[in-house]
Every structure is written in C-alpha cells, then in structure tokens.
Amino acid sequence: MAKEVYRFSAGERFVHWCHGVAFLLLLFTGLGVLVYAFQPAMNVFGGIQVTRNIHRVVAVLFTLGMIIGFIGKGQGARQMRRWFKDVINFRKDDFDHAKNFGIEFFGGHKPFPPQGKFNGGEKLNSMFTILGTLCIVTSGYIMWFASGPSLLLQWAYPIHAACALFMAALLIAHLYLGILHPDSNQALKGIFTGWVPAKFAYEHYEKWYNEEAKETMKG
Amino acid sequence: MARKMVFIDTSLCTGCKACSVACKAWNDLPAEKTQRISSYQTQADFTPNTWTYVRFREEYKDKKMRFNMLKLQCFHCADPACMKACSSQAIYKTESGYTLIDKDKCIGCGYCAANCPWGVPKIDEAANKAYKCTGCIDRVESGMKPACAQTCQPGAIQFGDYDEIMPQAQARVAELQLTNPKAHLYGNELMGGTTYVYLLQDRPDAYGLPLNPTTPISLTLWKDIVYPLGGIAIGASAAAITCGVIVNLVRGNYANRAKNIAASHDEGGK
Ligand code: HEM
Ligand code: SF4
Ligand code: SF4
Ligand code: SF4
C-alpha cells in the first residue's frame, strides 16, 4: 500500500459532512422558494410547505453543528479552530499559490512556494465559505423571525439569496476539484478516512508535510 | 376592461367607517372585537377579517382642530412592489388596474408583506396565505361599484373609468386649492400610478402616509441583480468544470493519473 499521512481528524470530517449535507438540503429546499419552476421538485419531500419547514429544521441543525464543532477541548474542535486561524492568515506564499488557480484548474502546473496545511486556493475557498455562512445564517434568522416591512428584513432577502447562489457556484467548483480533477481528487480519501497519499501531501503542502504530516506516515 | 380608478376625497369623509362594514358584508369577513386606538380610531392595522379601516389623526392649528381621516386599503399600484417580491408568481395585475393574490399559488412566505411601501399585504397565519383588499374585483368585473364606494354616503369614494374619474379628481383639487394650497392628489404619480388615489388636505405625513413610497432598493437588488448574477455565476462555474474535465482528458491527465500517483516519492527532494 502506498504511504499515507494523516490529514483530517474525525472532528474535522464530522463538521465538513454536517456542513455539506446540511448545505445541500438547505439549497434544495431554498430553491423551491426562490425558483418557481423548481417548486414541483419539492413534492419529493411532500410539497413546498413541508420543504419550507425542513429548511428551518435543517437550518437549526446546521447552526448547532457549526457551533458545536468549534467548542470544547477535543481534538476535533482544536483542529477546527486551527483551520479557522490558518485560513484567515493569508500571506504572500498563499497568494503565489492561488494566483495559478486557473492553470491548475485546467490540469496544468506551475511551481508554487511550499504550502502549509491549507494552500492558498483552499484558504480563499474557506474564507468565502466562512463569510458566506455567517451572512446566510444571520439573514436567514432575520427572514425567519422579523415581521412587517423593515429595512433589516428587506436587506436580508438579497443577502440570503446572493450567499446561496454564490456559494452554490463555489460548491460546483469544489466538487470538481475534490472528485473530478485528476490531480487534486487524491484528497478525496482524506475527507472520508482522514488519510491522504504521502506523495500528494508532499507535492501540495510541502511545509505542512515537513513540519507535521511526515511524523504520521503509515504504510 | 378599461382602466378603473377609485378616488377617495378625504375632504368629504365623515369618518363613519361604513366602508369597513360594507367591505366585511360583501367579502364575508366577520366582525371583530375592536378597541380604541387613539382619537376615533378603533382598528390598528389590517387583519385577515378587516381589509379596510379608517385611520384618524387629530391636527391642531390656530386653536382649531381637524380630523385627518383616511380610509386605508391596498392602493392597487400599476407597478406593485408586492408582485415584484413574490417568488411564487402568486400576485398578478388585471387590465383594469387591480393587483390580486392567487391564493392557490401563495405559499405564505411574506415577501410581499415585507416589501409593500404601505405595509398592506399581511400573512393570515391560520391559513398561511397572504391577504389584502381585492378591490372587490368580483363586483367590478360584473359592472358594480366596490362595496366601500357603493356604501359611502357623503360620496367620498368615487369609482369609475380612469379617464372619467381623473378629471373629476383634478377639478376637485383645483377647487379646494382656492382655500387650501396644501390640497393635492396622492397616488397617481406613485408606484407607476395607483388605482386608488387620495385627495389629501395636508402633507401625507399628517395622515401617517410615507412621503416617498418607492420600491425598496433592496428589492431591485434582489430580483434584478442578485438573481441574474447568481444564475450567471452558477452557469459559469458549471461551464468551467465541464471545460476542466475536457481539457484534462485532452492533456491525458486522466490516462496518466495512475502512473503519476504511483511514481515513487523521493522524500525530502524532487
Ligand atoms: C441558519 C441558516 C438558515 C436559515 C435560518 C434560513 C432561513 C430561511 C428562510 C426563513 C427563508 C425564507 C423562505 C421561506 O419562508 O420559506 C429562506 C429562504 C432561502 N434559503 Fe435559507 N436559511 C438558512 C440557510 C440557508 C443556506 C445555507 C442556503 C443555501 C445553501 C439557503 C438557501 C435559501 C434560498 C435559496 C432561499 C430562497 C431565497 C429567495 O427566495 O430569494 N438558506 N431561508
Ligand atoms: S399597495 Fe402594496 S400591496 Fe397594494 S398593490 Fe401596491 S405594493 Fe401591492
Ligand atoms: S406570501 Fe404569497 S403572495 Fe406574498 S410573496 Fe409569498 S407567495 Fe407571494
Ligand atoms: S374595494 Fe372592496 S375589498 Fe377593497 S376595501 Fe373597498 S370594499 Fe373592501
């Protein structure tokens, strides 16, 4: 078996999948309201009134999942906090990785400076997701609980819709890189089992590999 | 059917509230227990069973008091914000100028309620549907006056074809302006032109009306910018990954994938 290194703890994987599944459910049920032509699709769950309620129930689970993932002393929560600190710390090396995003996306390659646990492109995706999530959650609760015409409620609508649509666009690219892209999809195993190929880790996250991952090598 | 107009002349209104009762009678809306809000006003806002009510404001000037009384209902805008806000295509316009809610399509989301500049539509929580004044469209389409106009004794609610009522309204304003320069029409130049037009004897805020009711900017941003741009972003993303797969295929990156991955890893250097 090829050598592997440990990348994602159980806690991180749990938060990732809670977020992913909840996002898809929220997107699906939200689109039933946003796009009229999409409304008949809501019948798979029993109709638009059912999916409107599912949207709210999943929203609460989604919010709780996010919060619980970050609190406490467990390894998972510590890793989540580390991820957060890492990705908002965007420096020149990260920029020099992210600027070649287009080339890598279409299967080319250009050398980039050694990357930490999260590379420049991942940091950008993470930052968009953090910002989008904060905005969509806040606007969502306003849409849920505010009533009557008010500026707060009126502005919540375009913010909620914008975050939903732009994060959906981001998700499409994220799925491509994780599943379809012949080089970066080596990471896919990591988000299921926690382990990624050592060679892949070295090539993509040289700094992290040398400083941390190497010690976990197995196989 | 020709464009209709309802002209509400506040200078003739006596505040008797018969319009509110007539509305209930025609539309099968039961009476509700009311309480005094202020002055002679007994209804705070619309309810699922009260689609029109009279708002009272007392104005004191030079030791004289005037009631600013306003019969409120949907304005039936030509370019209604409620209709723009509705994602479920439940709100539509008639040729005669009415804005109507299709209860079968309405999902009760409240987007219309949040965006009407006059706060007219509301959600009936029990039915989970939006409601508001229908303009008595069933009467109008059968050649009758709306119930409120039919009942009004002092003739403060005039109904008819726009081309016929508008000149009357303008003549009435001109007449009042001789003694009250503040008299003016409210509605005909708002929201694309409203079907219900008021003659006010003072500034709109003296009646508790907004001075400048408009379609909220946030609504235009939401429907005319966020939706199309969001759609483009999703389309562009889908197109980009399709190209990504094709380019990777052409470059042989899938065919060589196993080989690339298997190539032994020389730890510590390339
Ligand atoms: C805590 C999180 C969230 C809350 C509380 C929330 C709440 C809401 C509420 C109350 C509505 C109004 C629709 C209705 O009344 O049925 C709504 C609409 C919607 N939501 Fe969410 N939501 C949340 C997260 C999300 C997420 C993560 C997505 C996307 C993936 C999403 C996508 C949508 C969409 C597309 C709409 C329709 C918006 C429109 O018509 O423009 N929501 N949401
Ligand atoms: S007054 Fe409000 S509810 Fe009536 S048509 Fe105009 S925007 Fe719609
Ligand atoms: S409450 Fe009904 S009429 Fe109002 S916006 Fe929602 S679906 Fe449309
Ligand atoms: S037009 Fe009809 S529904 Fe509207 S307020 Fe008058 S009586 Fe009521």
Side-chain angles (χ1 to χ4, degrees):
Chain A
M1 200 178 114
K3 288 191 165 66
E4 289 186 335
V5 293
Y6 195 54
R7 183 156 171 79
F8 292 124
S9 65
E12 281 169 287
R13 282 176 275 145
F14 176 77
V15 172
H16 176 270
W17 288 116
C18 278
H19 185 92
V21 171
F23 184 89
L24 285 175
L25 280 170
L26 288 164
L27 182 63
F28 181 79
T29 53
L31 285 179
V33 175
L34 184 138
V35 187
Y36 181 63
F38 205 72
Q39 226 181 74
M42 298 302 110
N43 289 333
V44 298
F45 287 123
I48 183 82
Q49 293 306 340
V50 180
T51 55
R52 286 184 67 211
N53 287 326
I54 294 177
H55 196 83
R56 285 163 170 78
V57 173
V58 177
V60 172
L61 298 176
F62 178 78
T63 319
L64 290 177
M66 295 305 97
I67 297 171
I68 292 166
F70 280 91
I71 53 177
K73 290 207 179 71
Q75 200 209 0
R78 269 187 286 123
Q79 295 289 349
M80 286 310 299
R81 292 196 290 265
R82 179 230 165 127
W83 164 77
F84 186 84
K85 273 192 218 134
D86 266 13
V87 299
I88 59 171
N89 182 10
F90 194 84
R91 290 168 187 274
K92 174 132 200 334
D93 282 355
D94 300 308
F95 176 78
D96 287 340
H97 173 271
K99 72 179 182 196
N100 296 332
F101 176 74
I103 296 169
E104 298 275 347
F105 190 91
F106 293 109
H109 183 67
K110 236 183 156 181
F112 49 81
Q115 300 289 299
K117 182 171 178 187
F118 302 100
N119 64 38
E122 284 169 335
K123 285 188 177 186
L124 283 180
N125 179 43
S126 297
M127 283 192 283
F128 283 132
T129 306
I130 291 166
L131 189 71
T133 301
L134 287 176
C135 293
I136 208 165
V137 168
T138 313
S139 58
Y141 284 110
I142 293 171
M143 285 157 73
W144 187 348
F145 294 108
S147 64
S150 69
L151 278 181
L152 187 72
L153 178 55
Q154 286 171 355
W155 281 93
Y157 294 127
I159 292 172
H160 202 74
C163 293
L165 295 175
F166 288 99
M167 285 201 285
L170 208 59
L171 173 69
I172 293 173
H174 178 69
L175 290 175
Y176 164 75
L177 291 172
I179 300 170
L180 291 175
H181 189 280
D183 183 35
S184 75
N185 70 1
Q186 294 177 72
L188 191 58
K189 213 181 151 208
I191 204 64
F192 284 106
T193 67
W195 295 88
V196 294
K199 175 172 181 280
F200 164 78
Y202 173 74
E203 284 171 0
H204 289 251
Y205 314 96
E206 191 177 329
K207 208 157 147 253
W208 172 67
Y209 180 85
N210 287 328
E211 287 169 8
E212 298 169 63
K214 210 156 64 174
E215 281 138 47
T216 65
M217 182 98 71
K218 71 164 190 189
Chain B
M1 186 180 267
R3 180 177 170 193
K4 299 294 177 198
M5 173 168 162
V6 180
F7 173 47
I8 301 173
D9 184 344
T10 61
S11 71
L12 296 178
C13 176
T14 60
C16 73
K17 305 175 188 173
C19 47
S20 189
V21 176
C23 181
K24 284 173 180 285
W26 177 256
N27 292 298
D28 273 332
L29 306 173
E32 292 174 293
K33 193 153 178 54
T34 54
Q35 65 181 77
R36 192 178 153 268
I37 308 294
S38 76
S39 185
Y40 279 83
Q41 187 171 337
T42 51
Q43 186 79 34
D45 206 344
F46 303 109
T47 73
N49 291 321
T50 304
W51 299 347
T52 188
Y53 64 95
V54 184
R55 185 194 277 159
F56 289 73
R57 291 274 196 280
E58 292 174 12
E59 196 175 283
Y60 297 87
K61 239 180 233 150
D62 307 328
K63 299 203 168 138
K64 272 202 227 149
M65 191 272 259
R66 185 176 70 206
F67 281 118
N68 285 338
M69 292 174 295
L70 198 70
K71 173 212 179 290
L72 288 155
Q73 77 297 306
C74 172
F75 283 72
H76 295 276
C77 311
D79 184 12
C82 58
M83 185 167 92
K84 192 179 180 75
C86 182
S87 302
S88 304
Q89 296 182 12
I91 302 187
Y92 62 99
K93 289 293 305 175
T94 67
E95 216 185 292
S96 43
Y98 290 84
T99 310
L100 300 173
I101 299 173
D102 179 339
K103 300 264 173 168
D104 289 336
K105 286 187 175 173
C106 174
I107 63 165
C109 66
Y111 291 179
C112 52
N115 284 286
C116 165
W118 290 289
V120 169
K122 310 252 182 237
I123 301 300
D124 175 351
E125 299 290 345
N128 196 20
K129 301 277 173 190
Y131 68 87
K132 68 171 188 67
C133 155
T134 62
C136 285
I137 188 70
D138 44 352
R139 293 175 62 94
V140 168
E141 298 210 322
S142 320
M144 291 188 278
K145 292 178 184 177
C148 49
Q150 176 75 44
T151 217
C152 184
Q153 289 307 309
I157 309 174
Q158 294 297 326
F159 167 83
D161 284 352
Y162 178 88
D163 295 338
E164 180 195 329
I165 302 293
M166 198 44 159
Q168 289 177 22
Q170 277 156 346
R172 178 66 182 153
V173 174
E175 188 185 334
L176 282 184
Q177 275 180 341
L178 296 175
T179 51
N180 176 8
K182 284 183 178 166
H184 70 285
L185 294 183
Y186 181 87
N188 53 320
E189 281 166 8
L190 302 171
M191 305 298 288
T194 58
T195 298
Y196 281 66
V197 176
Y198 290 91
L199 187 161
L200 302 181
Q201 305 167 83
D202 202 343
R203 283 158 48 98
D205 45 346
Y207 292 83
L209 288 171
L211 293 176
N212 227 336
T214 48
T215 300
I217 311 166
S218 53
L219 179 57
T220 307
L221 175 74
W222 178 21
K223 299 286 170 159
D224 296 341
I225 298 174
V226 167
Y227 279 6
L229 277 189
I232 291 170
I234 289 175
S237 191
I241 73 160
T242 312
C243 293
V245 170
I246 295 171
V247 172
N248 272 302
L249 271 175
V250 172
R251 288 183 158 181
N253 289 345
Y254 287 106
N256 297 331
R257 182 172 186 271
K259 200 172 76 204
N260 289 345
I261 292 174
S264 75
H265 160 42
D266 169 13
E267 201 186 318
K270 289 215 172 180

